[in-house]
């Protein structure tokens, strides 16, 4: 059972969190102007890399805050967590 | 008899049917429902100009540190999130609520959530051991001190656990009303294997 | 015969405390401190099981969990399948039997208790042998929070089976002093009978503690039989020792053939002689200790066959002194015997790696040692990399873990001094200076061992006779060679081809040997071949232990509403809705469900009825951006809602499919309260927070769940106005003063309430909301005020009928993840004015333009007595054509309408709204039943009843 | 009662594997078709390419050992009682092939049609179950709704007491469903494919896909470049990684899916029981061990490791449904990687890159689909156009919205 470092509450067991999928997928400014394909990209298509992945989590049992994490999907290790208003950290 | 008295008379707490069970537990743990605490959800961004006024209204600085709390007389303030606090007080005269509303003005929100949760006092020399059956957070006095307030799972119920001393023997467990019966059942059951345990007597 | 193979003195068993037990129907006796294996051997019982494939007799091959052979079934006090005799502590009244590799389950539920405890520590030490004890002690002295777990009944590990000396005293005295000192430290948790079976991320380890079995009848029935310790450690010290490895040769599976160190353990720990005449077959120095100690204890050691060309003088002298014939460069090429080994064939290893003519010697015990495999299971589970060590022919840790380290024999350091030093330095590494200071040096005279030979299998094994690689799976060298011959190159393939390593022991003795044999066959190195993955659990764990207390009523939380007890006392039947228990219907004495529901419906349509709707999710929405947020979340416009009014709303996902619905009331300019469906309360709040926190942080809004703060009681029916009027005399309840979709604050029984005029039934209705504290007071007041009008409590079933008669869909019942608001006939709830809202863009996708989308309609069975099955499919033809039959949709809701005196249904049907009046068919038990497509509203189409 | 294939002494008389399985050739410089991924789908596709379409100049490239991914890790449940026409079409096609597969492959795959029960625990479960059963019957698939008592008769060890937390209200039952022996299936395909000239190349990781003018021409591998006329991707959990090499974006998320096995036990469980409500599915495999799966882990992961709390929840559910399992033992736990699409249906067919074909997104349905998708995918690759059974499973459906939503009615709402 992994520990996930909530940017507010600190490390907690993963059962306290819910997964939110890929981070930094902004809601389109003007959905009406998008082609069906472009809209489908937003609704259904997410990256699925093996390796570093910026994704969303929410500390649902705790402070109810959504935050971002950079996690290695190969090892499942959390490499960084950051709040929605913080820039995506650079990790090699 | 005023309308208020009528109302008070007829209040029902989620765990009143568990009183007898709680009393029958080994002496090492004491469970008691602290029913009818007025509970206010205070919503405010920490940067808000109202923070000062709110602190004044509470009589104590609003705790901004995650997982912390503050106490002013009978008023307890638990940190639930960066913009959310639970203000608890045994007094039902509505004064705290009025003062908070006045202090918050348009900057946030004060919501009466008194019926949303109930509070179970878990105390005694084995209190920490009892919680350890279902709580993954380290409540050892070395790392967990009086005043900490953590929201986590106790068994399968979401709770806030407020630590009230530095010896790991006094906690408040604040739980959603609808989960209270489950949690009481779970706590009582957790004590069963310890009935014969001398350390729990 | 009783304990005839028990030494007169010695061992760790309590000879004052004899225990009686039964095995395969025969009564035996043993002592407290025995394992089932040691007690059986003490009684000269060697053949205890038979093999799964060939039914060959099998005995105790090892003294620990690595034993692939001594598999037993516990029959009494409660059946437990497939355990190693060597891991079962003896207790009075134990009844067990040997197994052919297949156990059986009890036919009754297990009465025992199981639970779990979370524990946190700076240092988790797995294994209370020399390395583990020295690590734990160093940590304890440094003042760290230490957990020490060990699977045996007492601490000591390998020292229990040896005659080692530490600081000039018997090692076990040192063990006692260490455990005594550990007990002095309040923050040290020392658990024996606790096996660490899994290591996971971030220092998380699981240990299974056996608490009561060994107490037999004396155990407290309330106590926990097995406890799972969920340990979160800052640092993990793996001191799990090593497993001795056999060498494979012909007929190497007979009872009486046993790993050398195990025989030594039986002697020193249990005072048991595993035989009378023994042969030792070894490839290394370590096994001589077993031969010498057994010899000194009175066992005749007929011969030692050492595959190495020469051995040290010390060992030669040891043999000479004891009159043991030492054959260097020799191996055991085979055995003979009936129920047990009776003779052993010893042969020379010739130069070209073949064996010469064998000499047969009589023996009832054959000690085997092919070297040692460090127990790296936990290390490997913790994602530690392994490397193959040619010198010892085993896989050893290649590195330290991020948060831990393997020490002592588990790291391939087999000497006692190494173990003691390893353990202490690991603790020091974890804890820093304070611990480093606490490290103590010990006086130990470790014998310098000569290099071991690496011999997987005696040349020629299996060519004649059977040479077993995995005794439990009855898999032989020939099986391995067949697998290789079949074209298999991966150990994982060979494992699956031969089933080696899939038994109870998970290949603890066979895994590396298999890799070795494959490597030899393919002419590659063991290193590049690798070994099969070590997977949790390290040793088998009972299902019930992992289930713990999450069973029965504690399997999942039962969420209760404020009126639950009241409903119970009224004999209500309950329905699970998510985690909630909801009153389903309130049958009277001898009343059927249909009868009760019909009665409840009539009351709501003709008089007045009330229910507990408190499970509805409720979210308080406050802030300057509140209206804007709701406009973006709901399909319709909420920002225009006037204070004092209520509005129905629908939420869609980005894909345009309906996810939830409910009502929104506006309490103030910047203050709304919305309701969600019962099942979606949490997910709706979480989703709204996600939008707010991650996409629209510029909106200043606070979302707060008030689901349980507010109890919600709909009071429904033509008489509801009178009831409310009676409850709130000073409230003008006339339709003009208190119109539909408005709300008022009021007081009932001295309690502040909020009354909302919304209707989920089409009847005149008032929804009374009150703080949970006062819920019962108000509930009773409503019952009291309604009594003159025969007010009737109703449950979810009646609620469903009432709403269905009005064509109100239930999200999740009349919809699945494929329905849009338009499909539901709710275009009116989709704002044309708003530029955007969640899901809007999806409505214009090709698929959403189709004429033949499934749409919600009503279905009226042409025989009004026929109740359509919910989930029934809708087809076009009166007779059932050959499959596949084109399906137009399915019945989502179907009820008997007491009010209309007919049955009716809601269904989703392709192009349904263009089919009104058409006859379609719903197959029931293979016979299509004709139905007429109608609009969704069965009752009061003109909506005349809403305002009473 | 369907035949349980329960050996008198389980494990004793599992049929032996043949003395020869497959060649271990070195890769040739060029093939007509390269199949990337030596799992069940890749091997089956190769087999049907050779058998049905006479295309034998084929290589199956596997980065590890053949069928060592999900094929070696799944719980071997085979059924076709899916809700939507499109799904039941391809899964029923698959089931029919399963029924003749032992003979076809001349390999004892131990397909045991012992029936599968999908339990219903809530009133909405019941509605959804009846809906599926009716749809199945009209699609010509054997399926029935049975009540709790009927469940007890088919599987006497199921606890149908009304007093448990989530009582069993009934179940859907597909008698023709069952389980098979996964290694035997994979090796059966591998052996026949190898016989017919297909090169099975292990320890050969594809590291790049060569595309010239929008047309695939070969692959870069850990054993050097290999040219190909056509390339067919069967990467299962790693499909996104492969698709990325070709610059193709697929709506997949890869999740850990865990399973576990008990010791060998005397026969107690004659059928297969699945319960989505309490997240467990259980069968007693041919050797007599209990084989179980649970829900997938929520987060993306390629680690072939899951979270332990999922195993614990699974054990609670299992002991609740089958009280006599209390003292059975977990011997081994493991995890696979399932690639899941937004509508929980697969993607099988052509891609925007010419001669590059894609088969992925099977989630937890991959094993049961093996023969079906193998034959359909082979057809698709051979003819350059989709087989009718996989036609609905295009990548394009996510643009048009024509999803095949097998999540079904998941929500609980009143």
């Amino acid at each position: 059972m992994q520990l996930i470092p909530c940017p507010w509450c600190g490390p907690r067991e993963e059962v306290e969190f819910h997964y939110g999928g890929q981070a930094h997928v902004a809601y389109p400014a003007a959905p009406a102007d998008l082609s069906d394909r472009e809209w489908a990209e937003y609704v259904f298509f997410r990256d699925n890399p093996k390796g570093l992945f910026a994704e969303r989590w929410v500390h649902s049992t705790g402070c109810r805050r959504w935050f971002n994490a950079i996690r290695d999907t190969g090892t499942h290790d959390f490499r960084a967590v950051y709040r929605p208003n913080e820039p995506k950290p650079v990790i090699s | 008899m005023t309308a208020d008295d009528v109302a008070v008379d007829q209040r029902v707490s989620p765990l009143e049917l568990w009183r007898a069970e709680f009393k029958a537990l080994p002496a090492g743990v004491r469970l008691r429902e602290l029913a009818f605490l007025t509970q206010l959800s205070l919503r405010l961004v920490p940067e808000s100009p109202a923070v000062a006024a709110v602190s004044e209204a509470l009589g104590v600085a609003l705790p901004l540190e995650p997982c912390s709390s503050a106490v002013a007389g009978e008023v307890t303030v638990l940190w639930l999130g960066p913009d959310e606090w639970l203000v608890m007080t045994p007094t039902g005269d509505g004064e705290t609520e009025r003062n908070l509303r006045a202090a918050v003005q348009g900057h946030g929100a004060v919501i009466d959530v008194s019926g949303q949760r109930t509070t179970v006092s878990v105390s005694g020399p084995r209190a920490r051991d009892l919680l350890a059956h279902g709580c993954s957070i380290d409540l050892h006095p070395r790392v967990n001190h009086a005043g900490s307030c953590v929201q986590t799972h106790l068994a399968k119920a979401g709770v806030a656990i407020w630590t009230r001393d530095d010896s790991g023997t006094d906690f408040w467990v604040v739980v959603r009303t609808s989960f209270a019966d489950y949690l009481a059942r779970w706590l009582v059951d957790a004590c069963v294997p310890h009935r014969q345990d001398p350390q729990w007597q | 015969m009783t304990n005839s193979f028990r030494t007169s003195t010695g061992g760790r068993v309590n000879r004052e405390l004899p225990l009686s037990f039964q095995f395969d129907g025969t009564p035996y006796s043993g002592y407290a401190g025995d394992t089932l294996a040691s007690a059986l051997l003490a009684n000269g019982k060697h053949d205890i099981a038979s093999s799964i494939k060939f039914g060959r007799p099998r005995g105790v091959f090892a003294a620990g969990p690595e034993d692939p052979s001594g598999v037993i079934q516990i029959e009494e006090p409660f059946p437990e399948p497939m355990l190693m005799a060597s891991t079962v502590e003896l207790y009075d009244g134990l009844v067990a039997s040997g197994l052919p590799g297949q156990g059986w389950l009890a036919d009754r539920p297990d009465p025992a208790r199981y639970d779990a405890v979370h524990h946190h520590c700076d240092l988790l030490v797995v294994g209370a042998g020399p390395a583990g004890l020295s690590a734990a002690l160093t940590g304890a002295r440094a003042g760290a929070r230490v957990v020490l777990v060990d699977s045996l009944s007492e601490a000591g590990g390998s020292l229990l089976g040896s005659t080692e000396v530490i600081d000039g005293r018997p090692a076990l005295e040192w063990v006692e002093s260490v455990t005594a000192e550990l007990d002095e430290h309040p923050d040290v948790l020392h658990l024996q009978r606790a096996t660490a079976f899994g290591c996971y991320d971030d220092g998380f380890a699981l240990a299974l503690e056996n608490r009561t079995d060994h107490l037999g009848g004396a155990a407290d029935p309330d106590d926990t039989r097995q406890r799972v310790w969920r340990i979160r450690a800052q640092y993990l010290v793996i001191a799990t020792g090593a497993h001795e490895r056999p060498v494979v040769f012909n007929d190497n599976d007979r009872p009486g053939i046993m790993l050398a160190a195990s025989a030594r353990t039986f002697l020193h720990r249990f005072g048991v002689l595993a035989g009378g005449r023994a042969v030792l077959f070894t490839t290394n120095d370590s096994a001589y200790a077993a031969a010498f100690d057994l010899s000194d204890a009175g066992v005749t050691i007929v011969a030692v066959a050492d595959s190495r060309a020469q051995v040290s003088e010390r060992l030669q002298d040891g043999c000479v002194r004891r009159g043991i014939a030492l054959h260097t460069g020799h191996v055991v090429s085979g055995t003979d015997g009936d129920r047990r080994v009776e003779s052993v064939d010893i042969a020379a290893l010739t130069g070209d790696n073949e064996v010469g003519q064998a000499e047969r010697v009589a023996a009832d015990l054959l000690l085997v040692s092919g070297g040692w495999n460090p127990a790296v299971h936990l290390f490997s589970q913790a994602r530690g990399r392994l490397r193959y060590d040619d010198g010892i022919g085993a896989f050893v840790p290649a590195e330290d873990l991020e948060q831990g380290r393997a020490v002592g024999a588990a790291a391939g350091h087999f000497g006692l001094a190494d173990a003691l030093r390893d353990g202490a330095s690991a603790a020091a590494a974890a804890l820093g200076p304070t611990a480093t200071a606490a490290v103590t040096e010990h006086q130990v005279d470790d014998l310098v061992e000569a290099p071991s030979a690496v011999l997987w299998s005696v040349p020629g094994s299996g060519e004649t006779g059977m040479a077993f690689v995995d005794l439990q799976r009855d898999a032989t060298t020939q099986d391995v060679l067949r697998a290789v011959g079949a074209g298999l190159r991966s150990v994982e393939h060979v494992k699956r081809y031969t089933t080696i390593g899939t038994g109870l022991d998970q290949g603890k003795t066979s895994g590396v040997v298999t890799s070795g044999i494959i490597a030899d066959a393919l002419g590659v190195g063991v290193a590049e071949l690798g070994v099969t993955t070590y997977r949790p659990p390290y040793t088998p764990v009972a299902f019930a232990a992992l289930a713990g207390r999450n069973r029965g009523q504690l399997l999942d939380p039962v969420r209760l509403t404020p009126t639950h007890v009241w409903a119970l006392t009224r004999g209500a039947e309950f329905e699970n809705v998510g985690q909630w228990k909801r009153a389903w219907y309130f049958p009277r004495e001898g009343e059927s469900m249909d009868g009760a529901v019909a009665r409840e419906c009539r009351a709501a349509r003709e008089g007045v009825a009330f229910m507990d709707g408190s499970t509805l999710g409720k979210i308080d929405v406050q802030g300057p951006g509140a209206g804007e947020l709701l406009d973006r979340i709901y399909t319709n416009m909420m920002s225009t809602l006037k204070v004092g009014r209520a509005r129905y709303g629908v939420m869609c996902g980005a894909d345009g499919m309906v996810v939830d619905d409910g009502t929104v009331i506006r309490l103030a300019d910047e203050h709304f309260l919305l309701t969600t469906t019962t099942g979606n309360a949490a997910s709706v709040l979480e989703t709204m927070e996600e939008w707010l926190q991650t996409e629209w942080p510029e909106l200043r809004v606070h979302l707060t769940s008030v689901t349980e703060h507010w109890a919600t009681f709909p009071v429904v029916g033509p008489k509801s106005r009178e009831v409310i009027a009676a409850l709130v005399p000073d409230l003008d309840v006339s339709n003009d003063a208190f119109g539909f979709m408005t709300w008022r604050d009021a007081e009932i029984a001295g309690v502040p309430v909020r009354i909302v005029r919304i209707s989920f039934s089409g009847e005149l209705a008032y929804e009374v909301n009150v703080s949970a504290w006062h819920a019962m007071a108000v509930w009773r007041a409503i019952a009291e005020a309604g009594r003159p009008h025969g007010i009737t409590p109703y449950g979810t079933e009646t609620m469903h009928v009432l709403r269905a008669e009005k064509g109100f869909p239930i999200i999740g019942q009349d919809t699945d993840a494929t329905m849009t608001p338009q499909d539901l006939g709710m275009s009116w709830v989709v704002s044309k004015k708003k530029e955007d809202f969640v899901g809007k863009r999806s409505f214009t996708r090709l698929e959403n333009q189709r004429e033949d989308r499934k749409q919600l309609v009503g279905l009226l069975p042409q025989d009004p007595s026929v109740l359509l099955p919910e989930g029934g499919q809708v087809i076009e033809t009166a007779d059932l054509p050959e499959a596949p039959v084109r399906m137009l949709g399915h019945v989502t809701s179907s009820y008997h309408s007491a009010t209309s005196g007919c049955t009716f249904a809601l269904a989703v049907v392709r192009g349904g709204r263009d089919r009104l009046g058409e006859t379609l068919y719903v197959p029931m038990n293979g016979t299509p039943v004709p139905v007429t497509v109608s609009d969704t509203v069965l009752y009061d189409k003109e909506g005349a009843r809403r305002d009473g | 009662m369907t035949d349980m294939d329960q050996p008198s002494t389980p494990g004793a008389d599992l049929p032996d594997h043949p003395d020869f399985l497959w060649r271990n050739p070195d890769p040739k410089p060029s093939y007509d078709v390269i199949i990337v991924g030596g799992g069940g789908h890749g091997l089956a596709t190769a087999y049907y390419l050779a058998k049905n379409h006479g295309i034998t100049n084929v290589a199956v490239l596997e980065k590890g050992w053949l069928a060592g991914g999900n094929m070696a890790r799944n719980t071997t449940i085979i059924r076709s009682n899916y809700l939507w026409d499109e799904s039941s079409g391809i899964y029923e096609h698959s089931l029919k092939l399963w029924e003749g597969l032992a003979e076809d492959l001349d390999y004892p795959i131990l397909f045991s049609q012992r029936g599968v029960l999908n339990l219903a625990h809530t009133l909405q479960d019941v509605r959804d179950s009846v809906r599926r059963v009716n749809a199945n019957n009209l699609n010509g698939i054997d399926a029935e709704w049975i009540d709790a008592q009927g469940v007890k008769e088919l599987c006497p060890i199921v606890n149908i007491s009304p007093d448990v937390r989530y009582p069993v209200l009934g179940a859907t039952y597909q008698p023709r469903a069952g389980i098979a022996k996964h290694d035997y299936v994979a090796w059966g395909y591998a052996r026949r494919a190898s016989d017919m000239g297909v090169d099975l190349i292990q320890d050969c990781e594809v590291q790049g896909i060569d595309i010239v003018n929008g047309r695939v021409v070969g692959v870069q591998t850990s054993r050097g470049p290999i040219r190909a006329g056509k390339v067919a991707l069967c990467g299962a959990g790693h499909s996104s990684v492969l698709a990325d090499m070709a610059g193709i974006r697929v709506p997949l998320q890869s999740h850990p899916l865990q399973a576990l096995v008990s010791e060998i036990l005397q026969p107690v469980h004659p059928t297969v029981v699945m319960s989505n409500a309490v997240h467990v599915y259980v069968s007693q495999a041919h050797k007599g061990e209990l084989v179980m799966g649970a829900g997938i882990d929520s987060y993306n992961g390629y680690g072939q490791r899951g979270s332990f709390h999922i195993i614990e929840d699974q054990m609670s559910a299992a002991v609740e449904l089958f009280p006599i399992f209390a003292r059975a033992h977990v011997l081994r736990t493991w995890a696979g990687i399932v690639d899941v699409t937004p509508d929980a249906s697969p993607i099988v067919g052509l891609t925007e890159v010419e001669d590059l074909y894609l088969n992925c997104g099977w989630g937890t349905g991959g094993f049961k689909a093996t023969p079906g998708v193998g034959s359909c995918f082979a057809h698709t690759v051979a003819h350059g156009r989709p087989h009718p059974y996989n036609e609905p499973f295009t990548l394009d459906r996510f643009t048009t919205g024509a999803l095949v939503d097998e999540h079904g009615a998941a929500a609980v709402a009143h």
Side-chain angles (χ1 to χ4, degrees), chain A residues 14 41 47-48 71 73 75, chain D residues 240 249 254 300 302 305 307:
Chain A
E14 72 185 65
E41 275 284 330
D47 295 344
N48 185 31
R71 193 174 57 96
T73 60
T75 62
Chain D
S240 297
R249 195 128 192 264
S254 296
N300 293 26
Y302 289 87
R305 295 178 302 117
S307 305

Side-chain angles (χ1 to χ4, degrees), chain C residues 54 56 248-254 333-335 345 458 460-468 475-479 481:
Chain C
F54 307 116
R56 291 165 66 105
V248 177
F249 50 86
N250 283 350
D251 301 313
N252 58 333
D253 64 326
R254 290 200 159 88
S333 58
T335 72
D345 300 338
V458 169
S461 298
E463 291 168 11
T464 63
M466 289 180 142
F468 290 91
T476 66
T477 50
Q478 293 309 299
D479 296 324
L481 296 177

